[in-house]
Amino acid sequence: MSNREKRGKVWLAVSGLVTSRDGKWLVVKKRYGGLKGQWSLPAGFVEMGETADEAVVREVKEETGIDCTVRGLIGLRTGVIKEEISDNMILFLLEPLGAEEVIHQENELFEARFMAPEEIIQEKDASIILHQLIKQNKAIVKPGIDGLNPGDQFGYTAYKLFF
């Protein structure tokens, strides 16, 4: 079964804006997909049994070797592909934990590195999301609220709100 079949007609992806201590952004150049060869944010799909915020931390670690913590939610990209697939991506703001040494995943990425937003905007091959995030300049960050239980009848094993 291909990844496309496994995901069905409703996709949920995550993406992380990782900002270094000196204000640079972690960007990657993918080897495949619609953003092949373009600078974009580390991203991937939410897997069974994980929350969206857990997925973004996992994806950033897998793609770049950077351990992160989620600072909050910054946005949503949603669209429909060829009038049938609902394609949704939640964007999170992340902060590196410890070392900021990038070790990119060779089979998925051409390159990964921290770049200043002023540098990224000069790149002809930067994704539309990067351009919009830089243009917006100040993202409103919605922090996560943990430790809530909406009721035992639901059976949640993980439950978080971002307001």
Side-chain angles (χ1 to χ4, degrees):
M1 183 187 292
S2 73
N3 279 340
R4 192 171 265 235
E5 290 169 333
K6 184 172 80 175
R7 282 193 282 282
K9 304 265 188 219
V10 179
W11 297 354
L12 181 58
V14 289
S15 185
L17 171 55
V18 181
T19 56
S20 68
R21 285 178 270 293
D22 60 359
K24 292 183 177 178
W25 293 8
L26 181 60
V27 290
V28 300
K29 263 192 187 179
K30 297 230 185 251
R31 289 186 179 271
Y32 62 89
L35 291 173
K36 180 179 180 177
Q38 289 186 49
W39 288 111
S40 61
L41 296 173
F45 288 95
V46 178
E47 300 292 341
M48 284 191 299
E50 69 183 352
T51 60
D53 56 306
E54 290 168 345
V56 76
V57 168
R58 174 185 52 76
E59 282 291 344
V60 169
K61 174 73 173 176
E62 285 175 7
E63 290 187 4
T64 68
I66 302 285
D67 286 304
C68 291
T69 186
V70 173
R71 296 246 338 269
L73 173 73
I74 56 174
L76 168 71
R77 190 259 303 134
T78 185
V80 177
I81 299 170
K82 297 179 181 173
E83 297 182 5
E84 76 170 332
I85 296 170
S86 175
D87 183 22
N88 305 283
M89 186 169 69
I90 302 169
L91 286 84
F92 289 95
L93 181 63
L94 299 157
E95 190 177 299
L97 295 169
E100 294 179 6
E101 183 189 345
V102 180
I103 305 159
H104 74 277
Q105 191 179 41
E106 298 275 341
N107 61 336
E108 280 194 31
L109 305 176
F110 288 118
E111 198 175 347
R113 68 174 191 238
F114 281 98
M115 288 173 71
E118 309 78 61
E119 278 181 273
I120 297 167
I121 206 78
Q122 301 301 318
E123 292 285 333
K124 65 178 178 11
D125 51 1
S127 74
I128 193 167
I129 288 179
L130 283 173
H131 278 279
Q132 288 302 309
L133 282 170
I134 293 165
K135 200 165 111 179
Q136 297 288 325
N137 197 1
K138 283 201 180 204
I140 296 169
V141 178
K142 307 275 190 187
I145 304 162
D146 217 342
L148 302 173
N149 182 352
D152 293 338
Q153 72 274 24
F154 295 108
Y156 282 105
T157 53
Y159 186 86
K160 296 175 186 174
L161 298 174
F162 288 85
F163 287 130

